[in-house]
Amino acid sequence: MPALILPLIEAVAHWPERGALIGLDLGTKTIGVAVSDPDRRLATGVGTVQRKAFTSDAARLLAIAAERGAAGFVLGLPVNMDASEGPRAQSTRAFARNFARLTDLAIGLWDERLSTAAVERELIGTDMSRARRAEVIDEHAAIYILQGALDRLMTLRDSRRGR
């Protein structure tokens, strides 16, 4: 049975209480990868996967998940500013459907609106060269996406505990 693909706040019910989450930012040429700590407080960059063929890309992502003892995936969903879904979001959903056939780890979709733009501004602010930004943008976007998802999950946990 394929893995579930759900909005983040629904996916959390299908993940164990502890365990790393793998954050993915699907670029056209690379896939940015980030991982959380087992307590899901901090996102850290893992690197990028150069996109080749879906099968080899998915195998690499699953290997990273196995190495990190992942409990699930957080996939950035590029929603338009008006909340509609364009071709990039459709492509991301197609990737998620195909990827779900290869794993039983639930996939949480997280609205990544403006994540790349925010990361780009941050990298420009550090005076990073354009060439270097191009090398790291997808990894940093994956970190940004995963950290945003972790922060949301923390807020949910705290509100359920009455904090």
Side-chain angles (χ1 to χ4, degrees):
M1 182 170 139
L4 296 172
I5 305 166
L6 300 164
L8 179 76
I9 58 174
E10 294 175 27
V12 72
H14 300 277
W15 293 326
E17 188 77 20
R18 290 189 80 243
L21 296 178
I22 303 291
L24 303 176
D25 176 57
L26 300 179
T28 54
K29 296 178 183 169
T30 62
I31 300 171
V33 183
V35 66
S36 76
D37 62 291
D39 291 323
R40 302 181 190 154
R41 296 186 191 284
L42 184 65
T44 306
V46 173
T48 56
V49 172
Q50 293 296 317
R51 292 191 86 165
K52 295 175 183 153
F54 173 78
T55 306
S56 63
D57 298 348
R60 181 67 189 122
L61 295 172
L62 291 170
I64 292 168
E67 290 165 12
R68 305 292 176 141
F73 292 93
V74 174
L75 186 56
L77 184 65
V79 179
N80 293 327
M81 290 307 293
D82 65 359
S84 66
E85 293 188 12
R88 286 193 60 233
Q90 293 168 3
S91 174
T92 298
R93 286 189 183 278
F95 179 92
R97 281 191 303 274
N98 291 329
F99 193 62
R101 292 185 187 114
L102 304 175
T103 183
D104 58 354
L105 301 178
I107 300 168
L109 299 176
W110 178 246
D111 181 349
E112 67 150 298
R113 234 177 298 199
L114 297 178
S115 63
T116 302
V119 169
E120 180 96 28
R121 279 192 308 276
E122 186 178 304
L123 295 175
I124 288 170
T126 65
D127 208 25
M128 188 178 288
S129 72
R130 183 173 302 202
R132 180 71 180 129
R133 285 195 313 265
E135 292 173 11
V136 300
I137 191 83
D138 288 329
E139 176 185 358
H140 283 253
I143 296 167
Y144 187 90
I145 290 164
L146 183 56
Q147 190 63 56
L150 295 174
D151 292 348
R152 177 67 176 119
L153 293 175
M154 184 67 71
T155 301
L156 277 174
R157 273 193 302 256
D158 289 349
S159 69
R160 289 183 180 145
R161 292 179 182 156
R163 292 183 187 167

